[in-house]
Amino acid sequence: MLLALDDALSTAVLAGRSEAAEIFGVIDLSTKAETRISGISLGRAIQFVANASVLGYECRGAMILYGQPGTPTLRIWNCEHLWAHYGGALLEP
Protein backbone atom coordinates (compact mmCIF):
# COMPACT_ATOMS: atom_id res chain seq x y z
CA MET A 1 0.00 0.00 0.00
CA LEU A 2 2.78 2.46 0.92
CA LEU A 3 4.55 1.74 -2.36
CA ALA A 4 1.38 2.48 -4.31
CA LEU A 5 0.96 5.83 -2.50
CA ASP A 6 4.62 6.63 -3.12
CA ASP A 7 4.28 5.79 -6.83
CA ALA A 8 1.17 7.97 -7.12
CA LEU A 9 2.93 10.89 -5.43
CA SER A 10 6.02 10.50 -7.62
CA THR A 11 3.91 10.35 -10.78
CA ALA A 12 1.91 13.43 -9.77
CA VAL A 13 5.00 15.42 -8.83
CA LEU A 14 6.87 14.53 -12.02
CA ALA A 15 3.85 15.53 -14.10
CA GLY A 16 3.52 18.83 -12.24
CA ARG A 17 7.19 19.68 -11.76
CA SER A 18 6.83 22.95 -13.69
CA GLU A 19 3.77 24.12 -11.72
CA ALA A 20 4.07 27.15 -9.46
CA ALA A 21 4.82 26.32 -5.84
CA GLU A 22 5.28 28.09 -2.52
CA ILE A 23 7.42 27.01 0.40
CA PHE A 24 6.34 27.87 3.96
CA GLY A 25 8.19 27.23 7.21
CA VAL A 26 11.75 27.88 6.04
CA ILE A 27 14.13 29.40 8.60
CA ASP A 28 17.12 31.42 7.36
CA LEU A 29 19.85 30.35 9.79
CA SER A 30 21.87 33.54 9.29
CA THR A 31 19.00 35.81 10.42
CA LYS A 32 16.97 33.26 12.43
CA ALA A 33 13.89 34.55 10.62
CA GLU A 34 11.15 32.57 8.94
CA THR A 35 10.84 33.19 5.24
CA ARG A 36 8.31 32.24 2.59
CA ILE A 37 9.52 31.36 -0.88
CA SER A 38 7.19 31.80 -3.83
CA GLY A 39 7.47 32.23 -7.57
CA ILE A 40 9.34 28.95 -7.89
CA SER A 41 8.56 25.78 -9.81
CA LEU A 42 7.64 22.62 -7.93
CA GLY A 43 10.84 20.88 -9.08
CA ARG A 44 13.02 23.75 -7.85
CA ALA A 45 11.08 23.89 -4.58
CA ILE A 46 11.78 20.19 -4.00
CA GLN A 47 15.47 20.73 -4.81
CA PHE A 48 15.64 23.67 -2.39
CA VAL A 49 14.02 21.85 0.53
CA ALA A 50 16.07 18.68 -0.05
CA ASN A 51 19.31 20.71 0.00
CA ALA A 52 18.34 23.43 2.46
CA SER A 53 20.86 22.57 5.17
CA VAL A 54 23.75 23.03 2.73
CA LEU A 55 22.31 26.40 1.69
CA GLY A 56 22.01 27.73 5.26
CA TYR A 57 18.31 27.11 5.82
CA GLU A 58 16.34 24.95 8.23
CA CYS A 59 13.37 23.21 6.64
CA ARG A 60 12.30 20.64 9.23
CA GLY A 61 8.87 22.27 9.43
CA ALA A 62 8.65 23.33 5.78
CA MET A 63 5.67 22.60 3.55
CA ILE A 64 5.44 22.96 -0.22
CA LEU A 65 2.05 23.99 -1.55
CA TYR A 66 1.31 23.48 -5.24
CA GLY A 67 -1.47 22.56 -7.62
CA GLN A 68 -5.18 22.82 -7.00
CA PRO A 69 -6.58 23.42 -3.51
CA GLY A 70 -6.73 20.10 -1.71
CA THR A 71 -3.51 18.76 -3.28
CA PRO A 72 -1.44 17.21 -0.48
CA THR A 73 1.52 19.28 0.68
CA LEU A 74 5.06 18.01 0.42
CA ARG A 75 7.20 17.82 3.54
CA ILE A 76 10.97 17.54 3.93
CA TRP A 77 11.00 13.71 3.87
CA ASN A 78 8.98 13.74 0.62
CA CYS A 79 11.44 16.20 -0.92
CA GLU A 80 14.52 14.25 0.17
CA HIS A 81 13.04 11.05 -1.24
CA LEU A 82 11.94 12.64 -4.53
CA TRP A 83 15.25 14.47 -5.03
CA ALA A 84 17.26 11.31 -4.29
CA HIS A 85 15.26 9.28 -6.81
CA TYR A 86 14.61 11.79 -9.59
CA GLY A 87 17.14 14.61 -9.12
CA GLY A 88 17.62 16.63 -12.31
CA ALA A 89 14.48 15.19 -13.92
CA LEU A 90 12.49 17.38 -11.52
CA LEU A 91 14.11 20.47 -13.04
CA GLU A 92 13.34 19.64 -16.66
CA PRO A 93 10.44 21.54 -18.27
Side-chain angles (χ1 to χ4, degrees):
M1 178 70 171
L2 182 58
L3 183 58
L5 290 174
D6 191 39
D7 287 345
L9 175 66
S10 298
T11 301
V13 166
L14 284 170
R17 64 185 172 255
S18 297
E19 287 186 35
E22 290 184 89
I23 310 170
F24 294 89
V26 174
I27 306 295
D28 182 336
L29 295 176
S30 64
T31 63
K32 305 291 189 239
E34 186 173 342
T35 187
R36 178 175 143 194
I37 300 170
S38 59
I40 188 170
S41 71
L42 177 58
R44 294 224 179 264
I46 292 168
Q47 177 190 32
F48 177 85
V49 171
N51 296 301
S53 63
V54 175
L55 302 171
Y57 294 91
E58 173 61 56
C59 287
R60 278 185 286 173
M63 296 185 309
I64 298 177
L65 302 177
Y66 69 100
Q68 299 297 321
T71 302
T73 59
L74 297 177
R75 303 302 295 240
I76 189 168
W77 58 87
N78 301 121
C79 295
E80 290 171 344
H81 173 78
L82 290 163
W83 186 250
H85 283 89
Y86 301 104
L90 292 167
L91 304 179
E92 295 175 4

